[in-house]
Amino acid sequence: MRSFIIAVAALVATGGPAMAETKAQNGWLTLSAPTTQHHVVFDGAVWRCEGDTCRSTQVKSLPPLRSCKRLARELGPITSFGYRGVTLSEAQLADCNPVQVAKTPAASEVAAAR
């Protein structure tokens, strides 16, 4: 019994699992242009948007680049992205954003421009 009490006291003194450092659970992003959406639900997390900035207080443990790509499809080009403590680099942001395909004007648009 005495050794059990000593073991519990040692666990409490060292902090145990309750004092373990936790990784950030939030996410944030900045868009290239302001969005008109006030919130977006993505993989069960609510992203609240104001102007060109969106934040979520609780996001799932997914690969940051995958999450960025899916949010970019929903909201538009992203200029900065942080997810669970990871901030994407410029090269990763280039991979994140959807490729803008140049639109070929229709014959009627060309005629109207003349």
Side-chain angles (χ1 to χ4, degrees), residues 71-86:
L71 284 163
R73 282 194 304 256
E74 180 76 25
L75 296 168
I78 295 174
T79 58
S80 59
F81 187 78
Y83 197 82
R84 297 179 64 90
V86 175

Side-chain angles (χ1 to χ4, degrees), residues 30-105:
T30 305
L31 300 166
S32 64
T35 182
T36 57
Q37 297 184 40
H38 295 289
H39 73 280
V40 173
V41 178
F42 168 72
D43 276 341
V46 177
W47 289 75
R48 302 207 184 280
C49 301
E50 207 171 292
D52 65 349
T53 305
C54 299
R55 297 183 184 285
S56 180
T57 57
Q58 188 75 18
V59 294
K60 290 187 176 182
S61 180
L62 299 171
L65 188 56
R66 175 181 172 243
S67 299
C68 182
K69 285 180 179 182
R70 291 183 62 197
L71 284 163
R73 282 194 304 256
E74 180 76 25
L75 296 168
I78 295 174
T79 58
S80 59
F81 187 78
Y83 197 82
R84 297 179 64 90
V86 175
T87 302
L88 296 186
S89 68
E90 292 294 323
Q92 290 171 316
L93 284 170
D95 287 340
C96 165
N97 289 306
V99 176
Q100 299 295 323
V101 178
K103 179 186 167 197
T104 304

Side-chain angles (χ1 to χ4, degrees), residues 2-17:
R2 184 177 283 165
S3 58
F4 176 73
I5 293 172
I6 292 171
V8 170
L11 184 61
V12 170
T14 60

